[in-house]
Amino acid sequence: MIFVQTKFELNSLLLDFKKNNELLSFVPTMGNLHEGHLSLIDIAKKNSSKTIVSIFVNPLQFGKNEDFEKYPRTLDDDLKKLKLKGCDIVFFPKSSHEVFNEKDKITQFKSGKKGQILCGKDRPGHFDGVLTVVYRLFELIKPNTAIFGKKDFQQQYLIKKMSMNFFPKLKILTGPIIRDKSGLALSSRNSYLSKKERKKASFFYLALKKGVEVFKETNNKSLSIDEAKKILSNENIKIDYLELMTNKLENVNNKGYSRKKIILGSIKIGKTKLIDNIEF
Ligand code: AMP
């Protein structure tokens, strides 16, 4: 496994790959790797001859009062896991300058209307920051395929849109949500939870499942949302949002009923924000 910290090193590696006609799959991450991340590497390996994983806690996607400083950074452990998985290259930029040009030259992306709903509503600028870093990483790495998790459903939706416009040849694949035994979706932020909070957090998946079940029985969107919310309220869990939409993130109206749907939400357990969804 090759460990790369500068765009200069990265470039020379990529030139070698190009000469050898290698097909490159790319998995962007912010580190603190778990089975969710590793499942994306399995997909990457099936779709390419070389796999590159980036580990970069992107400052642009964190708001002023969010957890950028505190975000778990566990490089040694991450490298062990990646080596075991058979990852070929790890890009761990030694500073933001390796990713972004000078500040005034950063092309800031605007994530548009669908970047302002759901998670974008209480995290202004979040998806602009995500798209900006992903655009720049695609530009630097020039992969044939990039893989994202459905756990961050709105994120992968917006990235697919951006990629279709700016990197039309790039194939974007998505991987299913990996959960622990209790149903809780794996997330780097789960490490903030105490044992008690973790138990509480497992009601999130139960609530989403209930929402799906009620919708399938009744075709009634508000009833299914209410039933899901009831489960969370009974546990005194704060709900940031809970929505049922088409999987194109549109309202479920007459047209939408025939489309694939998704129930998705964001909750707070203590100070920890968790997101999850079920597509159906
Ligand atoms: P992050 O390190 O949180 O930026 O996540 C990096 C990638 O891993 C993103 O594409 C996430 O959607 C994906 N991911 C995070 N958690 C999970 C999970 N539990 N199952 C599948 N993919 C995940």
Side-chain angles (χ1 to χ4, degrees):
M1 189 170 77
I2 306 170
F3 183 68
V4 181
Q5 286 208 269
T6 65
K7 56 184 169 199
F8 182 76
E9 291 168 282
L10 184 66
N11 255 330
S12 72
L13 256 179
L14 295 175
L15 277 175
D16 280 350
F17 282 178
K18 210 169 173 195
K19 265 190 233 153
N20 298 332
N21 291 322
E22 305 279 10
L23 281 179
L24 189 61
S25 276
F26 171 43
V27 180
T29 81
M30 298 206 296
N32 192 237
L33 303 180
H34 50 63
E35 287 300 324
H37 298 110
L38 300 180
S39 70
L40 303 181
I41 298 172
D42 288 331
I43 299 175
K45 286 173 71 72
K46 280 190 194 129
N47 283 278
S48 62
S49 53
K50 295 281 178 199
T51 298
I52 178 164
V53 171
S54 64
I55 299 179
F56 178 60
V57 184
N58 168 33
L60 298 185
Q61 71 187 69
F62 287 79
K64 258 190 197 153
N65 300 315
E66 292 184 358
D67 55 344
F68 175 69
E69 300 296 341
K70 182 175 141 203
Y71 196 84
R73 288 159 172 89
T74 52
L75 182 63
D76 289 348
D77 267 4
D78 292 349
L79 293 180
K80 278 180 206 152
K81 289 176 186 169
L82 291 173
K83 202 167 172 192
L84 269 176
K85 262 283 153 199
C87 168
D88 298 294
I89 304 158
V90 182
F91 179 43
F92 179 78
K94 76 173 186 216
S95 80
S96 291
H97 300 298
E98 298 298 334
V99 179
F100 303 115
N101 300 320
E102 290 152 50
K103 208 171 174 220
D104 52 340
K105 288 192 192 142
I106 297 178
T107 319
Q108 263 283 3
F109 269 88
K110 290 286 165 224
S111 54
K113 266 191 200 157
K114 287 186 183 166
Q116 315 308 313
I117 56 172
L118 308 171
C119 281
K121 214 168 173 179
D122 60 350
R123 299 186 78 185
H126 168 68
F127 289 115
D128 300 348
V130 170
L131 292 185
T132 302
V133 77
V134 172
Y135 175 89
R136 189 62 192 135
L137 289 168
F138 284 176
E139 229 180 16
L140 285 171
I141 293 169
K142 301 177 192 69
N144 303 92
T145 308
I147 302 99
F148 296 86
K150 285 205 178 177
K151 152 103 176 358
D152 299 87
F153 194 87
Q154 190 176 8
Q155 169 175 288
Q156 58 85 39
Y157 176 86
L158 294 167
I159 289 170
K160 274 184 187 158
K161 286 248 141 174
M162 179 277 281
S163 179
M164 268 191 315
N165 286 331
F166 294 95
F167 304 91
K169 287 189 186 150
L170 170 59
K171 190 159 106 189
I172 304 278
L173 299 177
T174 48
I177 301 174
I178 307 299
R179 305 176 177 281
D180 71 10
K181 269 192 213 142
S182 74
L184 175 64
L186 299 188
S187 161
S188 302
R189 290 193 168 96
N190 291 353
S191 64
Y192 300 152
L193 301 171
S194 67
K195 217 171 161 188
K196 210 169 147 194
E197 287 176 326
R198 228 183 153 93
K199 198 155 181 222
K200 212 169 165 182
S202 64
F203 283 90
F204 194 11
Y205 183 50
L206 290 181
L208 295 177
K209 274 207 299 197
K210 181 75 179 177
V212 172
E213 191 186 299
V214 174
F215 189 85
K216 282 184 176 167
E217 275 165 14
T218 63
N219 248 1
N220 184 329
K221 178 178 129 176
S222 34
L223 183 66
S224 51
I225 295 289
D226 285 350
E227 290 299 315
K229 281 185 172 172
K230 239 187 243 170
I231 292 184
L232 296 170
S233 309
N234 282 344
E235 298 300 318
N236 289 320
I237 292 172
K238 183 178 175 295
I239 303 164
D240 288 337
Y241 67 80
L242 196 71
E243 299 273 358
L244 200 153
M245 308 179 99
T246 72
N247 70 346
K248 304 267 179 279
L249 300 181
E250 292 154 337
N251 283 329
V252 177
N253 51 28
N254 292 340
K255 198 171 69 182
Y257 272 94
S258 59
R259 295 230 169 107
K260 228 176 165 189
K261 284 165 280 296
I262 180 162
I263 183 164
L264 66 186
S266 166
I267 58 166
K268 277 254 172 62
I269 307 266
K271 282 186 183 159
T272 307
K273 183 181 170 72
L274 300 176
I275 59 171
D276 197 358
N277 67 78
I278 300 177
E279 206 180 356
F280 63 102

